[in-house]
Amino acid sequence: MAVNYSVKEEADGHPSGGVGVPGGGAVKTRKPDNTAFKQQRLPAWQPILTAGTVLPAFFIIGLIFIPIGIGIFVTSNNIREYEIDYTGTEPSSPCNKCLNVSWDSTTPCTCTINFTLEHSFESNVFMYYGLSNFYQNHRRYVKSRDDSQLNGDNSSLLNPSKECEPYRINEDKPIAPCGAIANSMFNDTLELYRIDNDTRIPITLIKKGIAWWTDKNVKFRNPTGDGNNLTALFQGTTKPVNWPKPVYMLDSEPDNNGFINEDFIVWMRTAALPTFRKLYRLIERKNNLQPTLQAGKYSLDIAYNYPVHSFDGRKRMILSTISWMGGKNPFLGIAYITVGSICFFLGVVLLIIHHKYGNRNTSADIPN
Amino acid sequence: VVVGHRPVSETDAYVAQKFCDNRIVSSKYTLWNFLPKNLFEQFRRIANFYFLIIFLVQVIVDTPTSPVTSGLPLFFVITVTAIKQGYEDWLRHRADNEVNKSNVFIVENAKQVQKESEKIKVGDIVEVKADETFPCDLIFLASSSIDGTCYVTTASLDGESNFKTHYAVRDTTVLCTDEAIDALTATIECEQPQPDLYKFVGRIIIYGSNQEPVARSLGPENLLLKGATLKNTKKIYGVAVYTGMETKMALNYQGKSQKRSAVEKSINAFLIVYLCILLSKATVCTTLKYVWQSNPFNDEPWYNEKTKKERDTFKVLRMFTDFLSFMVLFNFIIPVSMYVTVEMQKFLGSFFISWDKEMYDEEIKEGALVNTSDLNEELGQVEYVFTDKTGTLTENSMEFIECCIDGHKYKDCISEVDGFSQTDGPLKYYGKAEKSREELFLRALCLCHTVQIKEADQVDGLIGHPERKDTYISSSPDEIALVKGAEKWGLSEGHRPLYQLLHVLNFDPVRRRMSVIVRTTTGKLLLFCKGADSSIFPRVQQEEIQQTKVHVDRNAMDGYRTLCVAFKELTQKEYDKIDRQLNEAKMALQDREEKMAKVFEDAEADMHLIGATAVEDRLQEQSAETIEALHAAGMKVWVLTGDKMETAKSTCYACRLFQTSTELLELTAKMVGESERKEDRLHELLMEYHKKLIQDVPKNRGGLKRSWTLSQEYGLIIDGSTLSLILNPSQDSSPSNYKNIFLQICLKCTAVLCCRMAPLQKAQIVRMVKNTKGSPITLSIGDGANDVSMILEAHVGIGKEGRQASRNSDYAVPKFKHLRKLLLAHGHLYYVRIAHLVQYFFYKNLCFILPQFLYQFFCGFSQQPLYDAAYLTMYNICFTSLPILAYSLLEQHINIDTLTSDPQLYMKVSDNAMLQWRPFLYWTFLGAFEGLVFFFGVYFLFQNSSLEDNGKVFGNWTFGTIVFTVLVFTVTLKLALDTRFWTWMNHFVIWGSLAFYVFFSFFWGGVIWPFLKQQRMYFVFAHMLTSVSTWLAIVLLIFISLFPEILLIVLKNIREKNHQVRNKMMHYTVFLGRPLLSTR
């Protein structure tokens, strides 16, 4: 954006250098040193933003932004996304019966929702659950965790941080994992079936690889001790109040159990906004011939355990493919196109104005 | 005070008084009380106190951010300030110790005892040798020279480097050995310590061995001040009268009032606005929180239960703590670091003034001096310049030009020959006076002065005489010029011994004259008097005046300083009377000044005028150009001088204060006339001028400030007597009204010349202008003691280097011409820098905190911070502090040379232009806009929080980090856009800060910190950067935020070009012969 690149000469050489530094330092003169810095004459680049330089920049930015925007927009549009709200507030919904499910109900309430995919999902499909009006970013909630406990610190395991109150100690035993976040972990179970000629073909849902690698491998650690028996390691702790099972029974696989259970880790990363989605399962593309999910009928089996009706919340299941830029999000594309267009448009307008007035003084490069 | 601690006879009632010891304490703290006292002082500052409160709230109440976030910056600020103050105090301690521990000789029991200076007690007899400084205020008892005089330079006290003669008490002059002085028994009575360096009254009572006690008066000439240096005298004895903190030096040390700059006032105003914003934000959030929470499942859903304690607290208390929590959350909007940065900028920035080699004067080997760094930016805001004439506009090195004796003119040079050939001597006669008169005149010249001859072996004499290797030392350069002039004509100092000097009636500015009384060899008593014409003319025979007056007036018109010389013969009887009265007056303890003045008044009457002298005071180089530049820069220059009107006027013409086209309005004693009618006449004049200037001028000032340059210029001349008539009118006439009218007239005039001013009147004028509507910034410049009052009164005081005034000034420059660069370049730049600094600080903190405020709407008003604590803490002290500091030190939006050569640029920043509400609003809106863009941009991005290509989702900390990243980059790049002068330091600091931010974020997120309760930021930043969408969003948001700014620059650019085109055309069509004002 700069036209003028002028480097000022170092202040007139050093003709008076001998005066500035008196011989032998016998007399300390108060004559200021003749250095470029002290005389405020450091060589400097003095950019001047003129219409002549900025306007082309406007065009260039416009020309860059619009294609990027279009690219993002197209990419975002190509992403397949399917969303089912299974809260069951409407009486017609199959899950309506489960609406007032509570924590202490021993028998799980299950419901099944059938749906049809109009288009096939070609690449890997990501299955999310979404919650609305759920304030995971509430301050009391966000801070209600003990990261050193989750990091496998044995003393914190038995003596969780005060921040976990009121989910710190239950029946005189420390809760592991403590805190409101862990206590309210999402515990609906979602299963997906493809209905092919009335037969339900289960779709393999991969439950690993949904959490950040660093979380899974560094930030979250099971407590250490003799042996790998998690039951023994969690000895002396109790399960969170709302959990049906203790933390060492979250999964059968040992590398996905305890604190390093990925569902748990995903839940523990608190969402930014009250309406959010979290990654639940992955559906990998089997081979190159078939789409991951072909168009057709599907059914979703839900073990409805998670009550959201009490706080007016909603629950969703989302199936989505992913591009290089993540999930479907039209915002970026539209924003880029808009900004690029405005840039371009203003460039044109200003150029006209500039020329209209600038013509009169073609050679008027008035020194600043 | 008992001299030498020897008790006098019991009959004298002497009440022992407690005197302080001779320890000088200028330091504020000791090692023990430093911490509490310094902390107390610091927290007295309102801002620091505010941050302390916030910190305490954080400690006590459960708040969203940990106390560290605000405690750390506060601690940093306090520590830095404490270190700075501690260092300064340590320097003071060291200086004190140097003085206090220095060795002095005290005469005790006829022996010399070496003692530390701090142990001197009042009444000790102290011996001081040549070139030593006096350890305390001493009464001069005896010296090594027979006549009981000594020479003293008070350069370190008042900056006057000439030698002053002090006289020993007459009866003790003989006691010049240790033994003799030890035998003295005397008491001294003196007034309570007072700070005036030139005033002292006291009495010494000497008890001879068997006679009556003798009382002698003591005056300032007997007092040797602490801090002054003994010169040219081998040694002296003195008795300590004032010691330690009671010495005049110590009393003078304190009491320079703090001057606050206009910028600081603006900052405070803006602070109040931001405080209101803060309070309203907190109120809004608290209110909405309780509205929102009225729904029970919002207040306490099953997944997020309250603790028992929270449930138990009363609602009102909860609301209050919530309010405080919001305050804490948003408190960053008032930047703690701004004060540090502003102060650092001022402190470091002021170095550039003293470093400037263009303001270094080779002759006196001095550069500019900065006594206070608080007022740098004020230099860019000056509207009124009050300048002294003598020594400021002019050189104050006098040259004898001509004289007239009985109306006959004698001139020194041979230039204008009209027929007369060179007669005897180097003189040229334009007519001849009687020989006797000539002689009388010259005699008067070389007798009536206080000049000292000094042997040439001393180096620091003022004026060396080449032939005789003699040096004249005097407090007044006029006198030297006169004596030298007289010498040239054949008479010299040598003649003085022919006369017995009986009395010197010293010069003082009220009387404006001095006299000597001498006895000639023939026994005749003569009184010679020399002084300003106005003070001589009324005291001589009226018929003699006419001829001389013509000359005096003409000389004054030429810009010379004129003095009249008169004499009178005294009879013995008259002399005796005067002598008695003088001695009486000198003895008086109270009202000595008045009594002396009275005697002088009586003595100097009915004299005979001999002639007049003219001495030229040359203009300083480039003072005319400087004044023109100041005019062009929209400043109004007032000359305040003690000189007579004609002299001052011609100087003003010479230095182009008045142009030939300037219409002069005179309000002088001459115009007003004498006697009772003068008030009416004054009234008429005032009304006439008022009408001319204000009512008749058509109101076409449409928006143009200071448009007077385009219309007729007016200059005003006023003299001291008229001024006092206006300012202090007698009771019966309508008071205060004149003052307003006068002020209105003054403000309309381009240039004002005030002559015949007393020092206090100068200050009065400055105060009057300072307190007018809009309170314009005033600047006073002067060099002498008589300018000190106005220098202290003005917003910015500038003294001339090395003179008395510079001690009391805020800045000191060697020459008047340096004012140009000081104001036009330095002042302008400092103002732009600091104004930008202030605005930028408020702006960057607004767009820092606004997203946090908006986030409350999406987190249930739970005071959840958007950014991590580390970011909150470091935003102001690490990530964004250095670029603005570098900018505020180095920025030159316009080249220094351009600024100096084009004074009109100065007007662009006049009236605090960059810190008015409009620019403030602009910055505020910019900050608000950017805050909105940051937040909602990321908000829309997070509508789908799976932004990575592996479908994993981001949480709230990533949200905050994206906002913060955009924020840091935008704010820094915004500064980059504003920077017009990119030195390597700017590059380093701007790009370095951004790099540091990135590096820090990686580092901060890369480690599990054992001391942290929550590892919120673990790998958040790194993960954020793996997402392409985030990159795109960051780039986009930065661009959107900066877009209005770029657009504005372009629009301005186009508009400016139009103006330039239009101006050019105007310039061709209506060329006015005078540089056009830019129409902006």
Side-chain angles (χ1 to χ4, degrees):
Chain A
M1 277 180 220
V3 261
N4 291 15
Y5 190 93
S6 65
V7 176
K8 272 204 214 162
E9 286 303 312
E10 180 109 355
D12 54 41
H14 293 283
S16 56
V19 183
V21 188
V27 192
K28 198 189 167 205
T29 58
R30 287 194 53 230
K31 184 174 169 67
D33 298 342
N34 190 16
T35 57
F37 171 66
K38 289 188 176 180
Q39 299 308 322
Q40 305 196 58
R41 289 188 191 281
L42 282 175
W45 172 54
Q46 291 164 290
I48 299 158
L49 290 172
T50 60
T53 48
V54 176
L55 290 182
F58 272 24
F59 286 117
I60 293 168
I61 287 169
L63 286 178
I64 295 172
F65 272 27
I66 293 173
I68 291 179
I70 292 170
I72 297 171
F73 191 70
V74 169
T75 316
S76 176
N77 268 1
N78 283 340
I79 291 173
R80 298 260 175 266
E81 197 174 272
Y82 189 84
E83 195 173 309
I84 300 172
D85 189 320
Y86 68 92
T87 323
T89 36
E90 307 84 18
S92 58
S93 165
C95 291
N96 187 244
K97 57 179 177 177
C98 301
L99 192 57
N100 291 315
V101 74
S102 76
W103 282 114
D104 22 22
S105 61
T106 43
T107 49
C109 173
T110 55
C111 53
T112 304
I113 294 177
N114 293 321
F115 60 97
T116 312
L117 290 181
E118 304 288 342
H119 304 280
S120 62
F121 285 45
E122 296 289 340
S123 56
N124 289 345
V125 176
F126 296 77
M127 187 177 186
Y128 299 88
Y129 59 86
L131 294 174
S132 295
N133 206 19
F134 189 102
Y135 282 84
Q136 249 205 329
N137 56 8
H138 196 281
R139 182 161 74 95
R140 199 165 59 225
Y141 187 83
V142 170
K143 69 173 182 176
S144 185
R145 62 193 286 165
D146 185 348
D147 274 344
S148 53
Q149 188 193 45
L150 298 174
N151 195 228
D153 187 88
N154 282 328
S155 62
S156 300
L157 182 72
L158 298 175
N159 185 18
S161 157
K162 277 205 290 292
E163 304 283 350
C164 286
E165 290 287 3
Y167 304 100
R168 181 165 168 258
I169 284 171
N170 188 26
E171 292 158 356
D172 290 336
K173 275 185 174 174
I175 296 176
C178 75
I181 313 179
N183 185 58
S184 60
M185 184 179 153
F186 182 77
N187 61 352
D188 279 1
T189 314
L190 308 174
E191 279 164 7
L192 196 61
Y193 298 91
R194 187 159 70 86
I195 302 175
D196 196 14
N197 299 331
D198 290 340
T199 51
R200 282 157 54 100
I201 305 165
I203 292 170
T204 329
L205 303 175
I206 301 165
K207 55 189 171 187
K208 282 200 270 186
I210 56 174
W212 290 15
W213 189 91
T214 48
D215 283 359
K216 164 105 180 165
N217 291 292
V218 187
K219 195 174 167 185
F220 287 81
R221 298 280 81 195
N222 277 323
T224 47
D226 310 327
N228 287 325
N229 190 351
L230 284 182
T231 320
L233 291 172
F234 280 101
Q235 192 77 50
T237 63
T238 182
K239 68 174 181 67
V241 189
N242 289 354
W243 286 20
K245 290 178 287 187
V247 69
Y248 45 85
M249 286 166 71
L250 279 177
D251 199 88
S252 50
E253 290 178 54
D255 65 341
N256 196 26
N257 201 4
F259 288 152
I260 56 170
N261 177 275
E262 292 202 21
D263 284 330
F264 175 64
I265 294 173
V266 165
W267 181 255
M268 290 304 283
R269 182 153 294 280
T270 48
L273 299 168
T275 299
F276 60 90
R277 61 169 71 173
K278 284 184 185 288
L279 191 53
Y280 183 64
R281 293 291 181 261
L282 309 177
I283 307 168
E284 271 187 351
R285 188 172 182 171
K286 295 269 168 32
N287 53 46
N288 290 333
L289 300 171
Q290 269 188 320
T292 324
L293 293 178
Q294 52 206 168
K297 286 187 173 166
Y298 290 86
S299 84
L300 177 71
D301 275 14
I302 301 143
Y304 199 118
N305 299 319
Y306 205 71
V308 292
H309 188 57
S310 65
F311 56 86
D312 237 357
R314 312 283 295 177
K315 294 197 284 191
R316 288 163 296 147
M317 191 283 301
I318 303 134
L319 292 172
S320 169
T321 60
I322 287 289
S323 70
W324 51 269
M325 52 159 289
K328 198 182 183 81
N329 192 348
F331 162 71
L332 264 186
I334 293 171
Y336 261 95
I337 293 171
T338 319
V339 172
S341 318
I342 290 174
C343 234
F344 199 80
F345 173 72
L346 278 177
V348 172
V349 171
L350 290 177
L351 200 69
I352 292 168
I353 297 173
H354 181 59
H355 264 276
K356 210 172 150 192
Y357 295 104
N359 276 348
R360 280 190 229 155
N361 57 331
T362 38
S363 63
D365 215 320
I366 293 144
N368 207 19
Chain B
V1 179
V2 185
V3 175
H5 306 288
R6 274 175 302 281
V8 286
S9 57
E10 299 294 313
T11 48
D12 265 299
Y14 172 68
V15 185
Q17 223 179 323
K18 210 170 171 317
F19 298 110
C20 63
D21 62 359
N22 194 33
R23 190 213 302 259
I24 288 278
V25 185
S26 58
S27 54
K28 260 192 192 151
Y29 313 108
T30 64
L31 202 59
W32 308 113
N33 72 5
F34 176 72
L35 207 63
K37 197 171 170 189
N38 184 266
L39 284 183
F40 177 73
E41 297 254 309
Q42 288 205 40
F43 285 121
R44 275 206 332 212
R45 274 183 78 167
I46 196 91
N48 284 347
F49 188 69
Y50 162 79
F51 293 113
L52 181 73
I53 294 289
I54 292 284
F55 175 71
L56 290 180
V57 166
Q58 279 179 310
V59 171
I60 296 162
V61 182
D62 166 48
T63 52
T65 54
S66 82
V68 179
T69 50
S70 70
L72 201 67
L74 183 65
F75 179 74
F76 175 75
V77 170
I78 299 285
T79 318
V80 167
T81 319
I83 288 174
K84 187 181 151 230
Q85 292 183 347
Y87 175 70
E88 282 170 358
D89 205 55
W90 181 71
L91 288 183
R92 257 176 263 146
H93 266 288
R94 219 174 50 170
D96 286 354
N97 268 346
E98 219 164 84
V99 174
N100 289 338
K101 300 285 181 215
S102 64
N103 289 323
V104 293
F105 290 101
I106 291 175
V107 180
E108 261 177 24
N109 303 325
K111 267 179 280 170
Q112 281 187 17
V113 183
Q114 196 173 13
K115 266 194 181 180
E116 280 175 354
S117 160
E118 61 179 352
K119 301 218 170 90
I120 296 179
K121 291 190 288 290
V122 173
D124 281 347
I125 294 176
V126 183
E127 183 194 316
V128 182
K129 297 207 170 67
D131 297 326
E132 284 180 350
T133 50
F134 301 113
C136 56
D137 289 356
L138 301 171
I139 293 290
F140 186 17
L141 291 178
S143 82
S144 58
S145 63
I146 314 288
D147 56 345
T149 56
C150 72
Y151 302 103
V152 161
T153 169
T154 51
S156 57
L157 277 177
D158 56 11
E160 287 182 6
S161 56
N162 55 337
F163 289 13
K164 290 181 185 142
T165 317
H166 284 251
Y167 301 95
V169 182
R170 210 184 290 166
D171 305 68
T172 58
T173 41
V174 286
L175 308 170
C176 46
T177 57
D178 294 343
E179 294 76 30
I181 202 87
D182 199 49
L184 176 71
T185 315
T187 56
I188 292 169
E189 287 170 34
C190 55
E191 57 187 351
Q192 286 298 311
Q194 65 163 40
D196 192 328
L197 288 179
Y198 309 108
K199 276 204 184 114
F200 174 74
V201 284
R203 184 162 51 176
I204 184 166
I205 304 165
I206 300 163
Y207 302 90
S209 45
N210 40 25
Q211 325 148 341
E212 278 290 291
V214 193
R216 291 285 168 203
S217 72
L218 300 173
E221 70 278 2
N222 302 120
L223 188 71
L224 303 172
L225 299 176
K226 180 189 172 99
T229 314
L230 185 65
K231 290 280 178 191
N232 246 10
T233 315
K234 244 184 243 140
K235 62 174 182 180
I236 61 113
Y237 292 104
V239 58
V241 279
Y242 301 128
T243 52
M245 299 311 287
E246 288 179 344
T247 57
K248 290 191 182 286
M249 185 176 92
L251 291 172
N252 268 290
Y253 193 75
Q254 313 125 349
K256 224 166 104 179
S257 64
Q258 269 274 314
K259 293 179 180 176
R260 284 205 327 163
S261 73
V263 169
E264 219 172 308
K265 282 171 204 152
S266 305
I267 293 179
N268 286 344
F270 297 164
L271 264 186
I272 289 168
V273 172
Y274 269 66
L275 201 66
C276 291
I277 294 180
L278 173 66
L279 286 175
S280 52
K281 271 184 179 176
T283 318
V284 164
C285 279
T286 318
T287 319
L288 288 178
K289 176 175 175 145
Y290 283 89
V291 170
W292 185 78
Q293 280 185 354
S294 58
N295 195 336
F297 49 77
N298 278 338
D299 184 23
E300 197 175 2
W302 61 262
Y303 57 84
N304 191 9
E305 283 172 3
K306 290 177 183 172
T307 57
K308 204 162 169 302
K309 207 173 106 207
E310 275 177 296
R311 258 178 241 163
D312 289 347
T313 42
F314 291 110
K315 194 163 182 186
V316 180
L317 188 67
R318 230 165 42 212
M319 278 171 94
F320 183 64
T321 50
D322 272 328
F323 180 76
L324 286 183
S325 296
F326 279 118
M327 286 276 287
V328 167
L329 189 66
F330 303 141
N331 87 81
F332 297 92
I333 201 170
I334 295 179
V336 60
S337 56
M338 185 172 78
Y339 286 92
V340 196
T341 318
V342 164
E343 246 162 49
M344 272 195 344
Q345 193 268 349
K346 285 182 172 180
F347 177 69
L348 297 176
S350 61
F351 282 116
F352 283 117
I353 292 181
S354 45
W355 279 340
D356 195 332
K357 75 168 167 28
E358 280 172 40
M359 297 210 285
Y360 176 79
D361 193 73
E362 290 289 351
E363 281 166 38
I364 57 170
K365 299 248 180 294
E366 296 272 7
L369 195 75
V370 183
N371 290 334
T372 170
S373 55
D374 286 345
L375 300 169
N376 291 343
E377 69 277 2
E378 213 79 333
L379 294 174
Q381 291 295 302
V382 175
E383 280 180 55
Y384 288 88
V385 175
F386 298 94
T387 164
D388 178 40
K389 190 179 81 71
T390 316
T392 307
L393 287 175
T394 58
E395 293 266 20
N396 202 18
S397 66
M398 310 293 171
E399 216 167 303
F400 190 89
I401 296 295
E402 63 176 44
C403 62
C404 88
I405 302 169
D406 279 352
H408 302 289
K409 187 172 166 193
Y410 295 73
K411 203 164 166 70
D412 196 9
C413 59
I414 333 152
S415 53
E416 35 193 297
V417 191
D418 34 328
F420 288 94
S421 59
Q422 189 104 3
T423 44
D424 48 345
L427 263 183
K428 202 154 194 201
Y429 298 88
Y430 293 82
K432 223 156 162 32
E434 300 160 52
K435 196 79 186 166
S436 62
R437 299 290 279 185
E438 273 174 35
E439 207 176 302
L440 199 61
F441 176 76
L442 292 179
R443 202 140 286 166
L445 279 192
C446 56
L447 286 175
C448 187
H449 56 71
T450 53
V451 177
Q452 302 284 338
I453 305 186
K454 189 162 158 342
E455 303 299 318
D457 57 330
Q458 289 286 333
V459 271
D460 32 8
L462 275 180
I463 294 172
H465 194 278
E467 296 157 35
R468 295 250 308 276
K469 289 261 172 199
D470 272 1
T471 314
Y472 294 117
I473 305 154
S474 168
S475 47
S476 151
D478 293 67
E479 294 196 328
I480 295 175
L482 288 177
V483 173
K484 281 177 77 186
E487 184 187 35
K488 216 183 286 179
W489 294 345
L491 278 170
S492 76
E493 268 292 303
H495 291 246
R496 205 161 171 179
L498 296 178
Y499 299 85
Q500 190 191 351
L501 188 63
L502 297 171
H503 279 289
V504 178
L505 316 184
N506 269 324
F507 178 85
D508 69 63
V510 184
R511 269 163 60 235
R512 308 174 60 82
R513 60 182 180 269
M514 71 166 289
S515 314
V516 288
I517 302 174
V518 294
R519 191 197 301 273
T520 61
T521 36
T522 53
K524 263 203 287 183
L525 287 163
L526 289 173
L527 181 143
F528 290 109
C529 182
K530 177 184 80 180
D533 53 289
S534 61
S535 60
I536 296 281
F537 284 167
R539 315 188 159 270
V540 298
Q541 258 82 34
Q542 289 306 310
E543 63 272 13
E544 294 169 346
I545 295 176
Q546 273 317 312
Q547 291 175 308
T548 313
K549 196 170 162 56
V550 178
H551 283 280
V552 170
D553 288 349
R554 207 181 43 234
N555 286 334
M557 291 295 275
D558 293 338
Y560 301 143
R561 292 160 74 91
T562 56
L563 284 174
C564 291
V565 182
F567 87 105
K568 124 172 167 186
E569 261 189 72
L570 294 170
T571 62
Q572 186 64 38
K573 213 173 113 200
E574 278 171 324
Y575 171 70
D576 288 344
K577 189 174 149 226
I578 291 169
D579 186 44
R580 201 181 57 244
Q581 283 176 337
L582 269 178
N583 284 339
E584 251 170 48
K586 275 185 188 167
M587 289 304 290
L589 267 180
Q590 252 92 46
D591 304 327
R592 180 183 291 175
E593 309 287 319
E594 287 84 32
K595 284 179 185 156
M596 298 282 272
K598 177 100 178 32
V599 179
F600 292 164
E601 189 83 24
D602 294 343
E604 293 161 344
D606 301 324
M607 297 178 292
H608 301 278
L609 190 67
I610 322 173
T613 59
V615 169
E616 190 191 17
D617 189 3
R618 271 187 299 132
L619 272 188
Q620 275 193 11
E621 46 173 338
Q622 288 183 26
S623 52
E625 286 87 343
T626 309
I627 288 203
E628 264 191 336
L630 297 184
H631 264 278
M635 280 175 258
K636 298 185 184 178
V637 183
W638 292 35
V639 175
L640 311 180
T641 176
D643 269 356
K644 57 183 291 171
M645 187 189 118
E646 287 77 15
T647 318
K649 199 160 123 188
S650 61
T651 314
C652 289
Y653 273 115
C655 61
R656 279 175 251 168
L657 181 68
F658 296 146
Q659 312 278 349
T660 36
S661 59
T662 310
E663 193 181 330
L664 290 182
L665 312 173
E666 289 186 22
L667 272 176
T668 55
K670 218 191 319 181
M671 295 289 285
V672 174
E674 291 293 316
S675 74
E676 307 90 49
R677 277 207 65 245
K678 63 184 174 185
E679 295 214 340
D680 305 334
R681 178 83 186 106
L682 175 70
H683 184 77
E684 278 167 37
L685 273 174
L686 278 174
M687 288 329 258
E688 185 193 323
Y689 293 152
H690 186 255
K691 197 165 158 241
K692 197 178 203 167
L693 280 170
I694 290 149
Q695 288 153 8
D696 289 0
V697 171
K699 295 255 186 273
N700 59 352
R701 306 178 68 238
L704 294 184
K705 281 220 88 188
R706 303 174 183 189
S707 58
W708 35 259
T709 3
L710 290 169
S711 58
Q712 171 69 42
E713 291 183 24
Y714 291 101
L716 181 78
I717 302 176
I718 186 164
D719 64 1
S721 55
T722 320
L723 186 76
S724 62
L725 204 63
I726 291 171
L727 295 182
N728 319 307
S730 46
Q731 301 87 341
D732 52 326
S733 64
S734 57
S736 76
N737 209 4
Y738 287 159
K739 201 171 162 181
N740 277 333
I741 297 172
F742 172 64
L743 202 59
Q744 284 177 16
I745 294 171
C746 283
L747 299 185
K748 282 275 184 255
C749 289
T750 342
V752 178
L753 164 66
C754 306
C755 40
R756 290 268 186 258
M757 288 282 134
L760 222 63
Q761 277 184 317
K762 291 187 177 184
Q764 238 176 348
I765 291 217
V766 175
R767 190 179 314 128
M768 182 182 81
V769 173
K770 197 169 86 171
N771 294 337
T772 49
K773 208 171 124 253
S775 50
I777 308 295
T778 53
L779 177 143
S780 296
I781 176 164
D783 68 327
N786 57 345
D787 305 315
V788 170
S789 54
M790 79 172 180
I791 284 175
L792 289 176
E793 184 66 44
H795 290 98
V796 186
I798 296 190
K800 300 291 290 294
E801 190 70 67
R803 305 276 176 81
Q804 178 171 3
S806 75
R807 267 172 61 84
N808 293 293
S809 61
D810 304 307
Y811 299 90
V813 291
K815 289 249 166 82
F816 185 73
K817 64 172 178 178
H818 297 127
L819 203 59
R820 180 181 180 144
K821 192 175 180 195
L822 186 68
L823 296 185
L824 297 186
H826 286 292
H828 187 132
L829 284 180
Y830 281 123
Y831 177 72
V832 169
R833 288 168 184 175
I834 200 139
H836 198 274
L837 169 78
V838 169
Q839 299 279 25
Y840 180 77
F841 249 99
F842 282 110
Y843 147 84
K844 81 171 179 170
N845 282 290
L846 180 65
C847 56
F848 174 48
I849 282 308
L850 191 65
Q852 182 127 278
F853 169 70
L854 294 171
Y855 192 58
Q856 298 310 308
F857 289 82
F858 298 93
C859 71
F861 305 99
S862 59
Q863 301 125 22
Q864 170 62 23
L866 181 60
Y867 317 112
D868 182 57
Y871 286 158
L872 279 174
T873 315
M874 297 187 48
Y875 176 70
N876 268 320
I877 50 180
C878 293
F879 301 141
T880 59
S881 63
L882 283 180
I884 183 64
L885 185 64
Y887 172 93
S888 66
L889 286 175
L890 301 169
E891 171 69 354
Q892 294 173 32
H893 65 299
I894 301 172
N895 210 310
I896 287 192
D897 298 329
T898 320
L899 279 176
T900 324
S901 56
D902 187 1
Q904 290 178 12
L905 292 170
Y906 193 80
M907 274 194 272
K908 282 195 178 176
V909 296
S910 60
D911 295 328
N912 208 358
M914 289 177 71
L915 289 172
Q916 292 298 328
W917 290 109
R918 259 185 62 148
F920 176 69
L921 274 182
Y922 165 72
W923 281 91
T924 307
F925 276 120
L926 196 71
F929 167 76
E930 289 181 11
L932 287 170
V933 168
F934 301 155
F935 183 78
F936 284 106
V938 184
Y939 173 79
F940 285 120
L941 185 74
F942 261 65
Q943 289 310 101
N944 183 345
S945 58
S946 74
L947 292 166
E948 284 188 85
D949 58 355
N950 54 14
K952 292 171 187 174
V953 292
F954 286 152
N956 64 327
W957 297 114
T958 314
F959 187 97
T961 309
I962 296 175
V963 173
F964 193 75
T965 309
V966 177
L967 169 75
V968 168
F969 274 81
T970 307
V971 162
T972 310
L973 290 177
K974 152 86 181 140
L975 188 67
L977 274 183
D978 288 341
T979 306
R980 289 280 163 281
F981 195 74
W982 286 81
T983 65
W984 63 267
M985 275 184 256
N986 295 86
H987 281 289
F988 177 76
V989 165
I990 285 184
W991 311 126
S993 283
L994 293 180
F996 174 73
Y997 166 68
V998 173
F999 171 78
F1000 173 83
S1001 299
F1002 270 117
F1003 182 65
W1004 185 241
V1007 180
I1008 298 238
W1009 297 99
F1011 57 85
L1012 286 183
K1013 265 190 286 188
Q1014 296 202 1
Q1015 311 294 336
R1016 308 153 159 172
M1017 297 307 291
Y1018 189 67
F1019 266 84
V1020 162
F1021 192 74
H1023 256 283
M1024 183 188 93
L1025 292 187
T1026 58
S1027 158
V1028 185
S1029 302
T1030 319
W1031 280 88
L1032 288 170
I1034 289 176
V1035 170
L1036 178 78
L1037 293 181
I1038 293 175
F1039 182 76
I1040 295 179
S1041 306
L1042 294 177
F1043 190 68
E1045 185 72 17
I1046 299 173
L1047 201 65
L1048 210 75
I1049 291 175
V1050 176
L1051 284 177
K1052 234 190 225 163
N1053 196 274
I1054 290 176
R1055 212 178 58 185
E1056 245 162 48
K1057 259 203 177 141
N1058 291 346
H1059 274 294
Q1060 278 169 351
V1061 174
R1062 217 174 297 153
N1063 275 1
K1064 241 187 180 173
M1065 289 164 70
M1066 259 173 80
H1067 205 70
Y1068 289 132
T1069 47
V1070 255
F1071 186 70
L1072 292 171
R1074 173 184 324 143
L1076 258 175
L1077 269 183
S1078 113
T1079 39
R1080 298 183 65 241

